[in-house]
Every structure is written in C-alpha cells, then in structure tokens.
Amino acid sequence: QVHLVESGGGSVQTGGSLRLSCAASENTDSNYCMGWFRQAPGKEREGVALIWTYIHSTYYTDSVKGRFTVSQDSAKNTLYLEMNNLKPEDTAMYYCAADSGHCRGGNRNAADFRYWGQGTQVTVSS
C-alpha cells in the first residue's frame, strides 16, 4: 500500500506558475508509473503527466506540453508537477497517482492506478 499526499495547489492568475508536490510513503524509484491527473467539475478525470520511475520516461497530454513538467526526487520519495503559463482551463482538482509497472507509453489511464492522493485544488483566474 502506497500512501500519497499532495500539496502546492492554490489560486493564480492567467500566466502564473505553481508547483505541485506528491509525497509517497515508500520508495517508488524501482519500477513505478506515477503521475498527475485532474478533474474539473462535471468532467471526467484526465491524465496530465506520467513518469516511469525506472528510466524517468515522461508523457504529457497535448494541452500541457511545453508548459508542465513532471519530475521525481527519489531521495525524497516525492513527485512534482511544475506548471507554467497557467490558463483558466487548467482549473481543476489535481490528483497524484501511482502503481507498479511501466506507463504503457503514456496510455495508462486512471482506472489502471491503485494508489491515489486526496487531491489539491488549482484555480486559474483570467
């Protein structure tokens, strides 16, 4: 059982930046797919960014490419999501997720993850 705790959400204006953190209860450096999902009111949960911790391969949904960066600090058992040039459409609850194995080339969706954090709210105003 891996426990995940997110932090770092908040409210910013369009063009602003935030960094989300996800602290894991155990080392996930060997062979885990970890990532960030988001869910806006009335919408389905969507994958934002994934990282395969074995070789640190990263995958992004098209709408955040060039603006968001996912990374992992294995010494701190912490996953990060650096978000720049934020837009109002980025407003959502952001969740950290993890499970063993690779990220299937970025095609691992929410139903394929067993471990989730409680979420952190990101609000971007225009």
Side-chain angles (χ1 to χ4, degrees):
Q1 184 85 7
V2 179
H3 294 283
L4 304 171
V5 179
E6 301 102 332
S7 60
S11 297
V12 296
Q13 293 187 327
T14 298
S17 298
L18 285 172
R19 187 175 80 157
L20 305 183
S21 300
C22 172
S25 61
E26 61 184 65
N27 188 292
T28 55
D29 194 44
S30 56
N31 184 20
Y32 269 76
C33 182
M34 299 188 72
W36 295 92
F37 290 76
R38 65 187 180 187
Q39 189 166 19
K43 295 188 176 181
E44 293 187 356
R45 190 168 297 189
E46 66 165 344
V48 175
L50 301 177
I51 184 168
W52 183 26
T53 64
Y54 184 63
I55 58 172
H56 284 207
S57 298
T58 57
Y59 311 92
Y60 299 91
T61 192
D62 286 345
S63 63
V64 307
K65 286 180 180 177
R67 300 189 297 123
F68 290 12
T69 302
V70 61
S71 62
Q72 184 209 24
D73 186 335
S74 56
K76 297 181 179 180
N77 292 340
T78 300
L79 182 75
Y80 299 100
L81 184 68
E82 187 76 37
M83 305 185 293
N84 298 312
N85 191 20
L86 282 160
K87 304 175 180 181
E89 51 264 42
D90 295 317
T91 295
M93 184 71 79
Y94 282 70
Y95 298 90
C96 175
D99 210 330
S100 56
H102 59 83
C103 294
R104 303 174 192 168
N107 294 314
R108 196 161 180 176
N109 58 33
D112 297 325
F113 288 84
R114 288 177 291 170
Y115 309 119
W116 291 87
Q118 81 288 353
T120 186
Q121 179 68 37
V122 171
T123 302
V124 185
S125 58
S126 57

